[in-house]
Amino acid sequence: MLHLATPLVLAEVGWMAMGVVDTMVVGRVSAEAIGAVSIGTMIFYTVGIFASGLLLGLDTLVSHAFGAGDRDDCRHSLINGIWLALFLIAPVMALVWMSIPLLGRFGIDPAVLHETGPYLGAINWSTLPLLLYFAFRRYLQSVNVVKPIMITLVTANLINLAGNWVLVFGNLGAPRMGAEGAGWATCISRTFMMLVLGVVVWRQDPGLMHAPWTPDFSRVRRLLRLGLPAAMQIGLETGVFAVVTVLIGTLGATALAGHQIALTTVSMTFMMPLGISSAAAVRVGQAIGRGDPAGAARSGWTALAFGAIVMSIA
């Protein structure tokens, strides 16, 4: 469990570190810029993370097939996970675009709203790479390939930091874009993550090139049945934070900036049990796939113990 969970925990922390970097960089611009990143991030994540939650069924189906030694079924689930991600892109982007004009009705500081629209517009273009990244990642961790995920997240953080330095502050001849620049830096880093993990998947399983790529809607429906309850839970949880963030936005830019800093800080601790839970899903799924219910129980209880210990320390 430690061998599998440690890289996944570091990957989750690396994922959240992008938000930390964005907050620290735009914090040197203005409180309004931090507020824009705060509202924009919560709006996008409420929609985007719900969509990515629909892909969580890959953990179950791929790990079951891998535990049973059926690599063809692993490929079949990945291919249809990719199709599901592609089907989700248009509705996710449409919902985010529709949310931008609605924000003005909630009494948010106009100076914050002035920066929020461009930031949301930039980060919305990261929907495609984000969803495909999630599909690739869920497949790789389900077949016990986790180190590339961690390395990709670390490298993407460096790209995000460099992109922020160039685009937020207008270095190297680039225009000074403020909060919008942070959105484009995030978009670039997510595209990098998608491309790298796509190459890793292809090199890990060259048979994908010869597998049938036509969508199997029965498998897509199965992924949705497995992923929808988890996506609802994640969406409702993220939605609560989004509502609170919008309410705090009515108190002014400084209060909203303070909220973003505090929320980003505590969210870092949540990433640790989230990584452990991903390892648990894989370990339990593989044990069930090979017909080992006792091993599945051991993996589940071990993950619960690790999660309790880590969060007690946190």
Side-chain angles (χ1 to χ4, degrees), residues 72-262:
D72 287 337
D73 196 68
C74 292
R75 297 186 194 106
H76 188 56
S77 291
L78 171 62
I79 289 169
N80 285 281
I82 291 172
W83 276 111
L84 176 57
L86 294 174
F87 294 148
L88 290 170
I89 291 168
V92 168
M93 293 189 70
L95 285 171
V96 173
W97 283 116
M98 289 166 56
S99 71
I100 296 176
L102 296 176
L103 290 173
R105 301 182 179 182
F106 291 98
I108 299 172
D109 189 323
V112 173
L113 280 179
H114 179 72
E115 303 241 20
T116 302
Y119 174 79
L120 259 177
I123 203 173
N124 201 20
W125 288 108
S126 71
T127 302
L128 168 63
L130 179 66
L131 293 178
L132 289 180
Y133 158 78
F134 271 117
F136 295 149
R137 175 186 165 165
R138 308 233 79 84
Y139 172 80
L140 287 172
Q141 67 190 35
S142 296
V143 297
N144 293 337
V145 180
V146 290
K147 286 185 180 178
I149 299 172
M150 177 185 68
I151 295 170
T152 299
L153 260 297
V154 171
T155 311
N157 268 281
L158 298 176
I159 292 174
N160 186 51
L161 177 60
N164 271 286
W165 181 75
V166 172
L167 298 174
V168 173
F169 300 127
N171 289 307
L172 301 181
R176 183 182 175 90
M177 302 176 73
E180 182 183 0
W184 285 116
T186 299
C187 187
I188 292 168
S189 61
R190 287 176 179 171
T191 302
F192 167 80
M193 289 157 50
M194 174 198 69
L195 293 174
V196 172
L197 286 195
V199 171
V200 172
V201 168
W202 174 72
R203 295 187 65 180
Q204 174 70 23
D205 189 359
L208 276 169
M209 299 299 293
H210 308 291
W213 277 80
T214 52
D216 177 358
F217 290 102
S218 64
R219 182 59 58 97
V220 172
R221 285 193 296 270
R222 193 174 175 193
L223 285 169
L224 286 172
R225 282 198 302 270
L226 288 167
L228 184 59
M232 290 291 292
Q233 183 265 319
I234 295 171
L236 289 171
E237 181 178 324
T238 310
V240 169
F241 287 108
V243 170
V244 171
T245 300
V246 170
L247 290 174
I248 292 177
T250 65
L251 302 179
T254 303
L256 183 57
H259 168 72
Q260 170 66 4
I261 293 169

Side-chain angles (χ1 to χ4, degrees), residues 30-44:
S30 66
E32 289 78 10
I34 294 185
V37 169
S38 176
I39 291 178
T41 298
M42 294 311 302
I43 294 296
F44 179 82

